[in-house]
Amino acid sequence: MSERPTKAILRVLDGEPVWPLPIWIMRQAGRYLPEYRATRTQAGSFLDLCYTPRLAEEVTLQPIRRFGFDAAIMFSDILVIPHALGQEVRFVENEGPKLDPITSSADLKRLADELPLDRLDPVFETLDCLSASLPRETTLLGFCGAPWTVASYMIAGKGTPDQAPARLTAYRDPAFMQVLIDKLVAASTAYLIRQIDAGAEAVQLFESFGAALPPALFDKLSLDPIRRIVEGLKQARPQAKVIVFVRGGGSHLHRFASAGVGDALALDWTLDPAQILPDLPGRVATQGNLDPLALIAGGEAMEKGVDHILSAVRGRPHIFNLGHGILPETPTEHVAQLIARVRGTRA
Ligand code: CP3
């Protein structure tokens, strides 16, 4: 018989209800922390920060030191995959990511056939360092973007409202879209396997742009690719735990659960756990889902939001989190108050 995990988050991912709920927050290492901004300045560019293990380790640890979250998520970005495949990627101050758009089969051919894993060695080294430096009770998380979300950046070359360029490509040239998605499935699977080997205990897939997909495209571009990655990872590394976050996944979530895709499903803030959870099949765990703006507001708005989630998930395997990433304008005191409320202690 395999040993039962002792870390709170791994117990939840094993299907065990844990109380008080373990907590981490998406984008917990970031600009709302003054110590992050200082290290970010020291690093120079955002990609230099991602690819310098000593600095990436430092910013991963900052929110753990300050707040004692139950999980640390390695510091990196979903766009290191297109970068490693050979696409030009830059992060422009106050504008976000910029890539040289991939729009033709000729552009696609210029990308590497297989993910050159050695280009991502700094990420694996960061994980290796973190396995040694994290407190013993803290779960180490790896991650990658889901293929549709990453493809939408690769095609548009930037963030776009409703991912219109990638959606249009999916209608006009489904064969091109499928080749790109398949490439990302293979790359992401190989990348996550290496993350597990480097010390990640669980990984999260970020489908940040699931809400843009019409039902007719959802299975082909989101559910299927995610299912193939999770199956490939689990086949290679059966112990790996997976959290699947599909922003806008709403009505599709029960299909992820019944297909057994993911040990936990992360809910975005538009979903009411009191309604969703009773209908979710199987023993799938859940994660989420306070509105990041309720955390900025703090006070009663935050307390009500937290209390509603706590009462809806009581007795179930659930990890407390936000319904999407924390925003740069979030006051750090509110984060401390959030954790105290979830843990039933004082800030
Ligand atoms: O703490 C953590 O969660 C780990 C680090 C992490 C980052 N990005 C660091 C980052 C993670 C998990 C991501 C994922 C990511 N990156 C997603 C999916 C999650 C989500 O929020 O939907 C997406 C869509 C990206 C792409 C990306 N990276 C964008 C759109 C931007 C610019 C927008 C912004 O917030 O400025 C980034 C840059 C980025 N990635 C920053 C951080 C901390 C800010 C850059 C900076 O410090 O200048």
Side-chain angles (χ1 to χ4, degrees):
M1 227 183 89
S2 67
E3 235 174 277
R4 305 287 299 171
T6 51
K7 299 184 182 188
I9 289 199
L10 294 178
R11 285 166 56 202
V12 174
L13 292 174
D14 233 21
E16 187 187 331
V18 174
W19 198 267
L21 299 179
I23 173 170
W24 69 281
I25 59 186
M26 291 190 264
R27 301 283 205 108
Q28 65 191 18
R31 284 166 301 184
Y32 74 107
L33 291 177
E35 58 270 36
Y36 170 83
R37 294 197 297 270
T39 313
R40 169 81 172 77
T41 307
Q42 194 191 333
S45 81
F46 175 72
L47 280 177
D48 283 335
L49 178 54
C50 291
Y51 292 140
T52 308
R54 191 178 50 79
L55 298 181
E57 179 194 19
E58 166 58 24
V59 292
T60 305
L61 290 171
Q62 285 168 350
I64 307 303
R65 278 190 210 117
R66 195 191 259 262
F67 302 116
F69 285 118
D70 294 287
I73 181 159
M74 68 167 191
F75 191 82
S76 182
D77 198 83
I78 62 168
L79 298 178
V80 298
I81 290 242
H83 193 231
L85 286 171
Q87 190 172 11
E88 180 75 30
V89 177
R90 317 171 282 290
F91 285 85
V92 181
E93 214 64 47
N94 305 318
E95 284 184 44
K98 295 277 179 288
L99 303 82
D100 288 352
I102 303 264
T103 53
S104 66
S105 308
D107 294 339
L108 257 185
K109 286 210 183 73
R110 277 194 288 275
L111 298 180
D113 282 335
E114 278 184 24
L115 181 70
L117 278 167
D118 55 336
R119 290 202 192 156
L120 295 164
D121 276 345
V123 175
F124 309 131
E125 198 181 323
T126 303
L127 282 169
D128 192 48
C129 297
L130 284 163
S131 309
S133 55
L134 277 176
R136 154 195 331 268
E137 65 277 12
T138 314
T139 299
L140 179 53
L141 301 178
F143 71 90
C144 73
W148 158 251
T149 292
V150 176
S152 75
Y153 277 106
M154 293 178 81
I155 291 170
K158 58 185 179 187
T160 46
D162 300 330
Q163 292 68 57
R167 250 161 68 219
L168 202 51
T169 303
Y171 289 121
R172 283 188 173 150
D173 196 347
F176 167 92
M177 195 68 191
Q178 198 60 49
V179 173
L180 180 54
I181 292 282
D182 289 349
K183 199 180 202 39
L184 289 169
V185 167
S188 307
T189 308
Y191 182 44
L192 293 179
I193 291 172
R194 270 295 274 125
Q195 290 185 22
I196 296 290
D197 291 345
E201 296 163 295
V203 294
Q204 175 157 318
L205 269 85
F206 285 90
E207 185 74 286
S208 303
F209 299 146
L213 286 169
L217 292 178
F218 189 88
D219 283 19
K220 218 171 163 50
L221 298 182
S222 183
L223 176 57
D224 245 46
I226 291 176
R227 183 181 51 71
R228 284 158 64 203
I229 293 171
V230 175
E231 281 175 7
L233 172 63
K234 292 214 171 222
Q235 204 159 35
R237 301 293 180 268
Q239 82 281 16
K241 294 289 176 188
V242 184
I243 305 167
V244 176
F245 171 56
V246 182
R247 191 172 159 213
S251 61
H252 302 290
L253 283 182
H254 69 279
R255 290 191 301 128
F256 279 87
S258 40
V261 180
D263 300 282
L265 296 174
L267 313 178
D268 70 36
W269 76 85
T270 65
L271 299 172
D272 181 353
Q275 278 177 11
I276 296 280
L277 296 192
D279 289 340
L280 270 189
R283 57 197 278 274
V284 70
T286 45
Q287 176 176 283
N289 72 339
L290 184 72
D291 186 346
L293 293 185
L295 184 58
I296 292 183
E300 207 186 321
M302 176 183 85
E303 289 165 6
K304 274 191 171 160
V306 172
D307 294 352
H308 178 70
I309 295 167
L310 295 185
S311 66
V313 307
R314 183 115 209 189
R316 297 206 29 132
H318 188 87
I319 299 164
F320 198 96
N321 205 312
L322 298 180
H324 197 199
I326 187 169
L327 293 158
E329 49 276 45
T330 309
T332 53
E333 317 81 77
H334 292 183
V335 178
Q337 287 157 8
L338 166 73
I339 294 172
R341 195 152 188 107
V342 171
R343 291 189 175 150
T345 53
R346 289 216 268 174

